[in-house]
Amino acid sequence: MRQINCAATGLCSARVGTGLCPVQGGSQTRLICVTMAFVLIFSISCFAADAPQVQFDSSHIGPRQMEDITGRNIPRDWGRAWQTLALALEQNRPDLLGRYFTGFAQQKLAATIATQIKTGLRTRYIDHGHKLAAYFYSPDGGAIELHDTADLEIQVFDGNDLVHSDRVTLHYIGLMTPAADHWEVRLMESVPSF
Amino acid sequence: MRRILPAVCLAVCLMTAASLAAQDLQLPATIAAGSELTIPTSGSGAATFYLIGPSYLAKRQVQLGQEIHIQPREVRSAGRYTAVLRGGGSSQSGSFYVVAAKPASLSFLAHPSRIPVAQRDGVIGVAFVFDKWHNLVRRPETVDFRLAAKDAPPVAQSVRSRDGAAWILMTSAHKAGNAKFVAALDGIEETRVIQQVAADPCHLQIRAERNAKGVLVQTAPVRDCSGNPVSDGTVVTFTANGPQGLSTVDVPIKKDIAQAELQIPGPATISVASGVVMGNEVKVGGQQ
């Protein structure tokens, strides 16, 4: 069984079978297969399209005030970074990380993927949303520090065997820096509390 | 009694199994990055141990009843770690946090790289404190910022970091030249060079004299209000106003002065400006 989760987004979630559809079968089996294929296609398209929901608060930021456009781009890019993270870990694809991660954050996630490949373990993040607060915006506009309270379901697989599953609320410290047309995550660390 | 006994046994077995399944591993709440950790286990037989961290995952066979040793290299990255032990028909798990070790490096952002002299709060320094494994050191640390220009006493200020970040605004020196901008913490130093250049020209002065070709107009050495020579290439504008109309010439400063030859046959009033700064006016007579 493989779980396709697009709700990093909270929008949809479906279980689909692999190798369950026989070539020959009754109409009921064919119907199930068609339904499952539809759900799979819908789920994948859903995953590819949407980033998790991010509520953003910049009311306590300083010393620089946040520009309107930055206030829109930060939660957008933080959400896309989480979407990228989930996909890269799920599919063991470090090449996906470069768009929204840089520096130490990218290096550490790439190291995670490398050990996933080495050990045969795999991590899946089912993202139920983020409460993001910006509290430090450097005077030159070159860096933003963030507090993220993330509602996550984290599943660990050993091959296809689900080893551990946890629904947790985690606190993350984030550091983002501007790139050409978006913000990149330079640091993302979970912490016991803020 | 015979009817009740099997049900009681089953209930006890189920409760035992449930308690085993839900049992948590004995883990500390937090440890410093790069520390060694030992996890006690109970029972007997083989089991599989999993460690899932922010940049490291491990899987190995262990013996129940013996301690599990986590090596320092396995817990270098700060963040939440989950430990899972599966064996003997049960699964135990728990989580702990790895927090940054002592500061070992500073990520220092200095802005701008080139600034006019005497700019109040114009020099910006932001330092992020990291340990040797690039984890953000969140506990408050004192970061010393120092701006030192040549032939001038350094300006220094200490700032406590908050969530790994310390920042400062400093005023650039009155004298032009390269200044060393340093962020320091417990023997760790990061240096950036800030080029301090002359500010806008101050007290522009010109003189003009007629010659065979027209009027040669020349500035006195152009300096800012602190006496620093204004950079070569800074544009000075000469404007001549006379019966022939208005004519303007833009000239870059070269070796401290700007000069131009204006083709004006008749009398004129010549003025000078650079940026928002106006200089004196001189009047010249017509050609003989």
Side-chain angles (χ1 to χ4, degrees):
Chain A
M1 269 310 219
R2 178 168 181 232
Q3 186 174 31
I4 302 285
N5 171 37
C6 12
T9 65
L11 289 178
C12 57
S13 174
R15 283 183 180 277
V16 295
T18 50
L20 290 180
C21 295
V23 176
Q24 293 177 338
S27 60
Q28 196 176 354
T29 310
R30 280 197 297 274
L31 181 63
I32 290 169
C33 286
V34 168
T35 308
M36 289 166 95
F38 174 78
V39 169
L40 174 65
I41 291 163
F42 177 73
S43 301
I44 289 169
S45 64
C46 184
F47 187 91
D50 296 308
Q53 188 187 19
V54 179
Q55 293 175 30
F56 186 52
D57 175 17
S58 61
S59 60
H60 297 98
I61 202 165
R64 183 185 173 111
Q65 288 304 300
M66 187 171 277
E67 306 82 4
D68 287 346
I69 192 162
T70 307
R72 288 194 296 274
N73 291 347
I74 289 292
R76 179 200 66 185
D77 294 339
W78 184 257
R80 288 179 180 173
W82 269 99
Q83 185 187 26
T84 303
L85 178 154
L87 204 57
L89 290 178
E90 166 85 33
Q91 299 179 358
N92 282 338
R93 286 186 59 191
D95 59 298
L96 296 177
L97 297 171
R99 171 72 180 160
Y100 287 102
F101 291 92
T102 188
F104 302 143
Q106 187 182 6
Q107 289 169 20
K108 289 183 178 184
L109 285 170
T112 307
I113 293 171
T115 52
Q116 283 198 161
I117 293 167
K118 189 177 167 188
T119 57
L121 300 176
R122 192 162 42 87
T123 318
R124 176 180 295 154
Y125 282 81
I126 300 168
D127 199 324
H128 297 285
H130 299 258
K131 288 180 181 167
L132 186 66
Y135 64 93
F136 174 70
Y137 189 14
S138 66
D140 62 327
I144 290 181
E145 242 185 318
L146 304 152
H147 284 166
D148 178 23
T149 302
D151 181 4
L152 302 168
E153 194 174 340
I154 304 170
Q155 299 176 336
V156 181
F157 291 85
D158 184 355
N160 290 322
D161 184 18
L162 179 64
V163 172
H164 185 71
S165 182
D166 231 357
R167 172 85 185 247
V168 282
T169 300
L170 297 181
H171 302 296
Y172 284 85
I173 294 268
L175 180 63
M176 297 184 89
T177 52
D181 61 347
H182 65 285
W183 287 75
E184 292 178 332
V185 177
R186 195 163 279 275
L187 179 127
M188 184 190 270
E189 280 181 15
S190 55
V191 294
S193 61
F194 294 134
Chain B
M1 188 66 183
R2 280 184 181 175
R3 286 180 184 172
I4 295 171
L5 195 59
V8 170
C9 284
L10 182 64
V12 169
C13 286
L14 284 173
M15 285 170 67
T16 308
S19 68
L20 275 174
Q23 196 176 349
D24 286 341
L25 289 170
Q26 289 177 34
L27 298 167
T30 59
I31 62 167
S35 305
E36 204 171 41
L37 173 65
T38 302
I39 304 171
T41 66
S42 57
S44 61
T48 307
F49 176 71
Y50 299 92
L51 182 67
I52 300 108
S55 67
Y56 182 82
L57 291 89
K59 172 193 173 185
R60 56 178 175 260
Q61 298 303 310
V62 296
Q63 284 296 317
L64 293 175
Q66 294 181 2
E67 289 179 332
I68 300 168
H69 295 281
I70 307 288
Q71 301 299 318
R73 63 177 174 78
E74 297 181 287
V75 284
R76 285 179 177 170
S77 292
R80 182 177 183 262
Y81 285 69
T82 302
V84 181
L85 184 63
R86 297 177 94 200
S90 69
S91 177
Q92 301 172 61
S93 65
S95 64
F96 60 97
Y97 281 91
V98 170
V99 296
K102 66 176 187 179
S105 67
L106 289 171
S107 182
F108 183 32
L109 313 173
H111 184 87
S113 57
R114 194 166 184 262
I115 188 171
V117 295
Q119 287 282 309
R120 190 176 169 78
D121 292 342
V123 179
I124 301 165
V126 181
F128 293 97
V129 186
F130 291 95
D131 71 3
K132 66 190 286 191
W133 293 290
H134 311 307
N135 302 307
L136 189 70
V137 179
R138 293 184 65 210
R139 63 182 169 275
E141 300 283 350
T142 302
V143 179
D144 301 315
F145 292 98
R146 193 169 63 249
L147 186 64
K150 196 180 173 189
D151 301 330
V155 181
Q157 201 170 328
S158 296
V159 178
R160 292 286 276 177
S161 65
R162 186 190 162 215
D163 260 338
W167 63 277
I168 196 165
L169 301 177
M170 297 181 104
T171 301
S172 56
H174 284 271
K175 192 166 183 181
N178 288 348
K180 280 187 177 176
F181 193 18
V182 179
L185 164 65
D186 291 342
I188 311 154
E189 275 199 3
E190 280 293 325
T191 304
R192 302 287 178 268
V193 173
I194 305 278
Q195 191 184 5
Q196 297 178 130
V197 296
D200 287 335
C202 205
H203 310 304
L204 272 174
Q205 290 289 323
I206 54 168
R207 60 191 171 86
E209 61 184 43
R210 184 168 287 286
N211 58 25
K213 294 178 183 172
V215 176
L216 176 67
V217 58
Q218 189 180 63
T219 65
V222 183
R223 301 191 182 279
D224 68 8
C225 296
S226 302
N228 299 293
V230 172
S231 308
D232 278 8
T234 303
V235 172
V236 171
T237 303
F238 297 109
T239 304
N241 196 0
Q244 299 83 12
L246 199 70
S247 64
T248 301
V249 178
D250 288 336
V251 184
I253 294 173
K254 195 174 176 183
K255 292 184 179 172
D256 294 354
I257 62 166
Q259 64 178 5
E261 242 174 25
L262 308 176
Q263 310 293 324
I264 313 164
T269 302
I270 301 170
S271 62
V272 63
S274 180
V276 294
V277 178
M278 295 286 291
N280 63 320
E281 281 185 352
V282 290
K283 291 182 190 303
V284 290
Q287 219 162 16
Q288 298 296 314

